[in-house]
Amino acid sequence: MSEPIRVLVTGAAGQIAYSLLYSIGNGSVFGKDQPIVLVLLDITPMMGVLDGVLMELQDCALPLLKDVIATDKEEVAFKDLDVAVLVGSMPRREGMERKDLLKANVKIFKSQGAALDKYAKKSVKVIVVGNPANTNCLTASKSAPSIPKENFSCLTRLDHNRAKSQIALKLGVTADDVKNVIIWGNHSSTQYPDVNHAKVKLHGKEVGVYEALKDDSWLKGDFITTVQQRGAAVIKARKLSSAMSAAKAIADHIRDIWFGTPEGEFVSMGVISDGNSYGIPDDLLYSFPVVIKNKTWKFVEGLPINDFSREKMDITAKELAEEKETAFEFLSSA
């Protein structure tokens, strides 16, 4: 057995965490021979609920869980971390302006970034899930100057998985037969799900998705809006936001950071845009196609971008630049 790693999940009393914690504890994220010290952070009013989650984790009798710590204190939660999964954020309430939402979250992620900077290992991998995820991730990174900015990523894997599954459903194949879809930009309704470079396995051979589907108007229309608005559709149906699928996407995202991406495949994640070759301004936290090896991501380079894609990629970059500007006004005063 290896040395235990310390993994923090914030918003640990919430519904995404409730779907996620078992996957982390049973070895399906970090491997079946990796012991874990699991740290659960939530706000003080949630500590009663968190105690129930702690009891359930104990009752799962998971051999890899060396210890489970439930806390409402950042100095306890962020100590010596190997991985931080920042799920907790201020949810959007009815009648709330996006600006108010950004302001409330800047406060949270500034504080958590500072705690990472002060208490966590410098090699910590930080995955931000709480929305607005891209800007929250940038805020945390800016507040943790001693941790490399490449160590911060935000979740767009749920959108990536949604895109994959829409293509698979349309073609009557399994999601596993579809690879290299891309989510560009913000984890918001301006995101651009791009299948120009995606491949699908049909009758034993790989073909491009456009070629396989022969339905360009769907791919440029309903497909994109379905993926962009899927989160809202789930809320409308369940009266709750996506939890099972979000937890599955988080597990996929972290597993790929930990073990790398399969040969010939790339995945989408929100990362710092510095040095990209796709004309996206530096210093944005933007979702790109990446490959991962030795726990380090690299941009997938050299993909041809057509005019349709260019326009969509720029729209979502513009939204992120505006969000960043608003957040940073609050950041200096927070």
Side-chain angles (χ1 to χ4, degrees), residues 184 265-267 277-278 288-291 298-303:
W184 297 99
E265 275 189 48
F266 48 77
V267 295
S277 60
Y278 294 105
F288 287 94
V290 298
V291 289
K298 282 196 172 79
F299 295 121
V300 175
E301 299 287 6
L303 298 172

Side-chain angles (χ1 to χ4, degrees), residues 184 272-282 286 288-289 297-305 310 313:
W184 297 99
I272 194 73
S273 60
D274 298 7
N276 77 86
S277 60
Y278 294 105
I280 303 303
D282 281 357
Y286 187 100
F288 287 94
W297 59 264
K298 282 196 172 79
F299 295 121
V300 175
E301 299 287 6
L303 298 172
I305 303 296
R310 180 77 266 160
M313 288 161 69

Side-chain angles (χ1 to χ4, degrees), residues 67-79:
D67 196 7
V68 184
I69 298 155
T71 183
D72 56 357
K73 295 181 177 54
E74 286 185 344
E75 62 275 20
V76 176
F78 286 89
K79 189 129 186 63

Side-chain angles (χ1 to χ4, degrees), residues 20-47:
L20 173 67
L21 293 168
Y22 179 70
S23 298
I24 293 176
N26 75 3
S28 57
V29 178
F30 296 103
K32 300 290 182 192
D33 54 0
Q34 178 58 68
I36 291 169
V37 173
L38 191 51
V39 189
L40 311 175
L41 175 70
D42 216 312
I43 54 175
T44 311
M46 296 305 287
M47 289 313 283

Side-chain angles (χ1 to χ4, degrees), residues 1 10 18 25-26 28 37 54 67 79 84-85 93 101 104 110 132 147 149 160 171 241 247 251 257 270 322-323 330:
M1 278 280 184
T10 72
Y18 193 74
N26 75 3
S28 57
V37 173
L54 178 65
D67 196 7
K79 189 129 186 63
V85 192
R93 306 248 156 75
L101 184 70
K110 180 182 184 180
I147 295 167
K149 44 187 164 185
H160 178 101
L171 283 165
S241 57
I257 290 177
E322 286 163 6
E323 267 187 34
F330 296 136

Side-chain angles (χ1 to χ4, degrees), residues 141-219:
S141 173
K142 293 283 180 196
S143 308
S146 70
I147 295 167
K149 44 187 164 185
E150 294 73 31
N151 288 20
F152 287 80
S153 60
C154 82
L155 187 78
T156 55
R157 185 59 168 266
L158 178 51
D159 310 303
H160 178 101
N161 287 349
R162 284 165 171 164
K164 228 173 129 149
S165 117
Q166 287 301 312
I167 298 295
L169 285 166
K170 191 85 168 167
L171 283 165
V173 298
T174 64
D176 217 26
D177 294 323
V178 181
K179 70 175 194 185
N180 298 352
V181 303
I182 301 169
I183 303 296
W184 297 99
N186 198 1
H187 174 63
S188 73
S189 58
T190 68
Q191 61 171 268
Y192 170 44
D194 175 10
V195 291
N196 283 294
H197 313 285
K199 300 263 188 281
V200 58
K201 203 182 284 166
L202 277 185
H203 319 302
K205 66 173 202 288
E206 269 191 3
V207 284
V209 164
Y210 268 84
E211 189 192 335
L213 263 172
K214 300 185 177 53
D215 188 348
D216 292 16
S217 68
W218 181 76
L219 284 170

